[in-house]
Amino acid sequence: MWQSSPPGSIYDYIRVASFSIGPDGLIEQWSRRAAGLFGIAADRAVGMDPVEAFMPAELRTDGRRRVGEILDGREWTGLVPFRIPGEDAVQGLAEIYVMPSETESGERAALCIVVDVRALRHIETDLAASQAIFGQSPFGFVLFGTDLSVIRANQRFATVFGGRAEDHRGRTVDDYLSGTEADRLTVTIQRVLETGTSVTDLQIVGTAPGAGSRHWSMNLYRVHSGSGRPIGVAGLATDVTRRHIAAREAASARRNLALLNEASARIGNSLDLETTARELLDVAVPGFCDLASVDLYQGLLTGDDAPPGSWDSLRQESVGGSAELRRVALASAVADVLPDTAAETGSPELGSVHRFSFNSPCAIALRTGQVEDVPGDDRGFVQSTLAVPMVAHDTVVGLVQFSRTKGSEPFGERDRALATELAARAAVCIDNARLYRREHERALILQRSLLPPGDPVAAGLDIACRYLPGNTATEVGGDWFDVIELPGHRTALVVGDVMGRGLRAAVAMGELRTAVRTLALLDLEPAEVLSALDEVARGLGTPGTSGGSQWPSRAAHKSREADLSEVYLATCVYAVYDPVTRRCTFANAGHLPPAVVEPGEAALLLDVPPGMPLGVGGEPFEEVEVELKEGSLLALYTDGLVESRDHPLDEGLEALRAALVEPERPIEDVCDHVLSTLETGHGEDDIALLVARIQGLPADAVGDWRLPREPRSVGRARALARGRLLDWGLDDLVDTTELLVSELVTNALRYGEGEIRLRLLRDRTLVCEVWDAGLVQPRRRRARDTDEGGRGLQLVGLLSVAWGSRRTPRGKTVWFELALPDGAPAAELSVEQLLSMY
């Protein structure tokens, strides 16, 4: 039977052989499997002494005794080392079962059955490894038979689809997927079974019980028996839903950035208010929404001195409703919708003058300057609407309504931010057009309103700023500076200069400054900020988007082409200062070098590669990191401070270095001394000057710990945070900080990678940062009623002043910020806030 067993028989795996011993103790019969096991053909083996042929010398005496006992009629089973004749080394271990027998003449003989112990051990190892991989795999593992039904599934697979692992035996793909997905997977499995070609990363979309729509990545490969016969297809499924969500969010972010770039190029190329409104809708529809409308205050359109959208006038509006507005633009991406819009929704028609009722979302948005949601009508085609006030320079000039019809994706938080940004860009352009027609004072208000209000405040920096207009003409320039707070008490310092003059320079400066702020909030590296800003600047200068402007003089008409070429080029220096390390990272786009003066040293100009101006494109920007000493002065400025027709630039830079003396003087006095010492009264160009004194965070204001990647680190983190807050006298923040630190460290353990770092920073606020090497950014979601977790980030959002995450060169940092106690009782969460978590 052994010799005639079909391929794939159990005997092929365990390597069983047989031979017989005659009355003389010599081999009498030799099977083919014995020849295969011992490597000796039958014509050689028959007549050999098995003890002499196969057993090592030290075991032969005992072997002969055993053979004699067997020929006397005793059975014997045991493990015997064997070797191939002609080789000294022992080749393996055999389990031999010897049964006494008789010849036809009645003489004693024996039948021997041999099993290769090595093969049995390999089978045991293979089975154990297969069971470990199959049973302990954290991924869904399933084995389809040749009939494409499930032969076996592991517990992880059963956990996803319900029931026990044994319950899935006999099921097919149609029991888990529906429609085209089931057909596609079935065809793929059949192809793998027939061709033996593996399939990797097959993307499957389906529904898991209790989990909704999920995305899986499947790897399929054919499984063979020991004889090489295909016995089925193994599938390894990995849940990649989070990856798809992250990819979708990244695509949304890219789309939003592209839309902002398009808005920069297409909005504000005309000084006509209605044209600017239509340009906004051309950008928004259909790329952002399905329907959109723009309403501008009637007083703005008629040229009233006090526009009804100013904050003071908004507070004085009667309870009867908003001030009068006129619908100046209307757009739709849905066919045959516009004619029926007014009749179905009651919205004003194009060109009509109207008011919004006092308690309507639109009127509230106009009063508060905040985005409001307008609920859709169940009987209508509109799913959701955002009422976005158009705010420019503390003035509400109108209202934009962005609507999406049923079947489109509802508006999310990113969409609200983008809608606000689009409306803000259009509002700036509209307000610039209004200010363009007014006298010199209004022009200066426009320019100065684009600069940071008041004295900027930053952690670890004492800052003073000065801005001087270049002349007294109605034209304004494009110089700007900015101080932007970043997570972790870091600060971005920006000084830029749009080339050229006039309203276009001011508008371009405003758009670039807005873009800088938007990019800074993304917490990009300085070189990345300038690269993205370069794309924005190049978008501003796109050919064919600059027509329609009206210029006040013949000379301006003649210089139109020159102005266009200048407005869309700009220089900028962007620096990020970390008060913990006192390190400042610079990136420069064609701007003059920053100046630094350390205590007891002469001022020097930092060697920061200037790069190309914004708008030129094609060249990457470089970064330079500098560690600044305590008490040092850092000065950023525009060329109006050091450049003049009366002297070359090198002399102006040398004069600036000479003026930056005595860094210990009050920072305001330093600014005044620089402006009074240098020849700044020439009136040729605007001047922007930003001076910062370096004051790093004290060592006792920083708590920094590294935690091992183990569950005990959560408690350790709470204890460290509690101890440090008690040392700082921030007892009122201990409970909240402990809770939020526990949530972030737990998330780092659960979803992050590598070592965990906890850092507490105390300055004007308390900042907590949790670092890990994982790249997946945290995502806040609303937990279901039955979920035991998933509310951590909701707690962080409710209990903190602000929170977020940012990339680092080796992973990510998740942070939250708490206001320092002022002696007043801490505000408790409202019932609505608590219920929002469920």
Side-chain angles (χ1 to χ4, degrees), residues 361-482:
C362 293
I364 294 173
L366 289 170
R367 286 197 304 273
T368 62
Q370 303 295 324
V371 180
E372 291 290 327
D373 293 310
V374 181
D377 189 353
D378 293 338
R379 298 171 297 176
F381 59 86
V382 175
Q383 175 182 237
S384 59
T385 299
L386 295 178
V388 186
M390 303 176 69
V391 184
H393 320 308
D394 292 341
T395 298
V396 178
V397 299
L399 184 78
V400 185
Q401 295 186 65
F402 300 106
S403 301
R404 288 181 178 173
T405 57
K406 292 179 179 178
S408 299
E409 185 178 353
F411 289 111
E413 287 302 318
R414 290 181 182 270
D415 296 323
R416 292 172 65 92
L418 179 59
T420 303
E421 180 66 20
L422 289 174
R425 288 173 181 265
V428 169
C429 296
I430 289 174
D431 200 42
N432 284 344
R434 178 177 67 87
L435 294 175
Y436 179 80
R437 296 192 298 261
R438 305 188 65 85
E439 66 269 27
H440 171 61
E441 291 80 7
R442 297 298 186 188
L444 291 180
I445 291 175
L446 165 65
Q447 188 178 39
R448 291 175 178 174
S449 66
L450 293 173
L451 301 174
D455 295 328
V457 178
L461 293 174
D462 187 9
I463 300 176
C465 304
R466 295 290 186 272
Y467 182 85
L468 299 178
N471 54 44
T472 59
T474 56
E475 287 189 344
V476 292
D479 292 16
W480 92 91
F481 64 89
D482 212 342

Side-chain angles (χ1 to χ4, degrees), residues 89-104:
V90 175
Q91 299 298 312
L93 187 66
E95 181 176 285
I96 300 180
Y97 176 38
V98 183
M99 297 175 290
S101 63
E102 291 184 358
T103 63
E104 293 180 357

Side-chain angles (χ1 to χ4, degrees), residues 328-347:
V328 297
L330 189 63
S332 170
V334 184
D336 301 327
V337 167
L338 281 179
D340 302 329
T341 301
E344 182 175 342
T345 65
S347 61

Side-chain angles (χ1 to χ4, degrees), residues 603 652-662 673 677-678:
L653 293 174
E654 192 61 33
L656 173 63
R657 293 181 56 197
L660 287 172
V661 294
E662 302 179 19
H673 176 71
T677 301
L678 274 67

Side-chain angles (χ1 to χ4, degrees), residues 15 66 317 332 375 379 511 567 609 632 646-647 744 788:
R15 300 189 68 187
R66 294 287 186 186
E317 288 185 357
S332 170
R379 298 171 297 176
E511 294 190 351
V567 165
S632 300
D646 300 333
H647 57 76
L744 296 192
E788 296 182 0

